[in-house]
Amino acid sequence: QDIILGRCSMCHTTEPAYDGIHWAPKGIVLDTPAAIAREARRIYVQAGLTSAMPPANVSFIEPGERAAIIAWYRGVTATDG
């Protein structure tokens, strides 16, 4: 959650703070724990497995943070069945 709030919610929020972004890209809002949980798979693919997000790594997400996203998602889905 801390990684997503720190690296993604600058754009993926109801009122983006990133210059030039006027609304959350693709309408994906990641500024609450519930919203992050809802988008877990998308976060896993876009920011964990690939480097698609953030574009050009504008928020400087670290390889260890990407690994943590992968571990988080796999842990979440492993307990979900």
Side-chain angles (χ1 to χ4, degrees):
Q1 178 177 319
D2 291 342
I3 294 168
I4 304 309
L5 292 173
R7 303 292 191 184
C8 308
S9 65
M10 64 179 36
C11 295
H12 289 284
T13 188
T14 53
E15 295 183 26
Y18 196 80
D19 193 33
I21 304 291
H22 304 290
W23 52 83
K26 296 189 178 187
I28 299 166
V29 175
L30 302 172
D31 55 6
T32 66
I36 291 168
R38 265 193 314 274
E39 296 294 340
R41 178 162 171 63
R42 194 181 314 234
I43 294 165
Y44 167 68
V45 171
Q46 298 294 318
L49 293 182
T50 72
S51 296
M53 285 285 136
N57 201 20
V58 297
S59 65
F60 307 105
I61 192 167
E62 300 288 334
E65 291 171 315
R66 291 188 193 279
I69 289 169
I70 291 168
W72 163 75
Y73 179 78
R74 290 179 178 171
V76 168
T77 58
T79 60
D80 290 343

